[in-house]
Amino acid sequence: MSASTVILLLIVGTVLYLIYIYNRLVSLRQSADAAWSDIDVQLKRRYNLIPALVETVKGYKNYEAETLEKVVKARQMGLNANSVKEHEQADNMLTQALGRLFALAEAYPELKANENFLDLQNQLAQIEDAIQNARRYYNAVVRDYNTRLESFPDVLIAQRYHFRPKEFFELEESEKAAVKKMPEIDFS
């Protein structure tokens, strides 16, 4: 084999490897975008349940308007969110507001026994589980993507073609503590 053939094979091999790296980064970026889309769908499902929940609670004469206002405000923040951080803030705010709303319902036995309210609580619990699963998957894909962006030789391709790190979708530290302290709510 001549020296020019070896050099040509090395060049072709290097180009093919660089193409492989680029395609792997594109694939991970697309997976992260698809995973975010799954989170977005679940968040929208939850936001769509909020008006029905608010109306059900409003049907009881002694409801606390401030608690409902916080739920509605958090929902609106979520609907208007444009970035992962904005969604994260709205999600944390909504989780806290819903926690207060369900704690409030404990004080009203007739509301707590209302079939519509129980059904909405059950649907929200299912959506919360779906959001947590989607969040875990998204964060795993983002971790893999961001790791590739910082790994050699991928970092060379990532910088050259302007691949940018993705943000994780996480609970705030205060929210993690609030979840641990939240009273158990019986959805049965």
Side-chain angles (χ1 to χ4, degrees):
M1 211 188 292
S2 71
S4 61
T5 305
V6 170
I7 291 173
L8 181 63
L9 287 174
L10 284 173
I11 291 172
V12 168
T14 302
V15 168
L16 289 174
Y17 185 65
L18 294 175
I19 290 170
Y20 168 75
I21 291 171
Y22 179 85
N23 287 340
R24 182 172 51 189
L25 290 172
V26 168
S27 176
L28 283 169
R29 183 178 58 194
Q30 292 300 324
S31 293
D33 291 344
W36 176 255
S37 179
D38 291 343
I39 290 174
D40 197 40
V41 165
Q42 297 304 324
L43 290 173
K44 285 178 182 167
R45 285 183 61 211
R46 181 170 64 173
Y47 298 147
N48 289 339
L49 278 179
I50 300 301
L53 185 63
V54 167
E55 287 305 313
T56 300
V57 173
K58 276 184 178 180
Y60 289 83
K61 56 184 167 229
N62 293 324
Y63 71 88
E64 292 182 27
E66 182 183 338
T67 302
L68 291 181
E69 286 172 15
K70 287 180 182 179
V71 170
V72 171
K73 181 180 177 188
R75 175 188 182 264
Q76 197 56 48
M77 264 183 69
L79 290 172
N80 294 336
N82 293 316
S83 70
V84 173
K85 280 290 178 214
E86 288 175 0
H87 277 286
E88 192 175 288
Q89 290 170 343
D91 184 57
N92 289 327
M93 188 175 167
L94 184 58
T95 299
Q96 288 177 349
L98 286 172
R100 284 191 289 274
L101 181 67
F102 292 136
L104 173 68
E106 292 294 317
Y108 299 102
E110 62 277 356
L111 174 59
K112 192 174 151 184
N114 179 296
E115 270 187 53
N116 192 32
F117 186 75
L118 292 173
D119 181 51
L120 291 168
Q121 272 188 321
N122 187 37
Q123 288 181 52
L124 276 172
Q126 290 171 0
I127 291 172
E128 291 298 329
D129 287 344
I131 290 170
Q132 290 307 314
N133 290 335
R135 182 188 311 223
R136 277 191 291 276
Y137 178 71
Y138 170 78
N139 284 338
V141 172
V142 166
R143 180 200 60 227
D144 293 347
Y145 173 73
N146 289 347
T147 300
R148 298 290 347 150
L149 293 183
E150 295 179 11
S151 300
F152 185 81
D154 297 37
V155 67
L156 302 174
I157 300 296
Q159 289 174 349
R160 170 77 171 100
Y161 293 101
H162 309 289
F163 285 86
R164 299 286 175 247
K166 301 268 185 196
E167 294 180 47
F168 289 98
F169 187 49
E170 300 178 313
L171 290 174
E172 293 176 359
E173 286 305 314
S174 62
E175 187 60 26
K176 288 177 186 175
V179 169
K180 289 177 186 173
K181 293 178 186 175
M182 278 182 71
E184 265 191 48
I185 299 171
D186 184 9
F187 290 107
S188 58

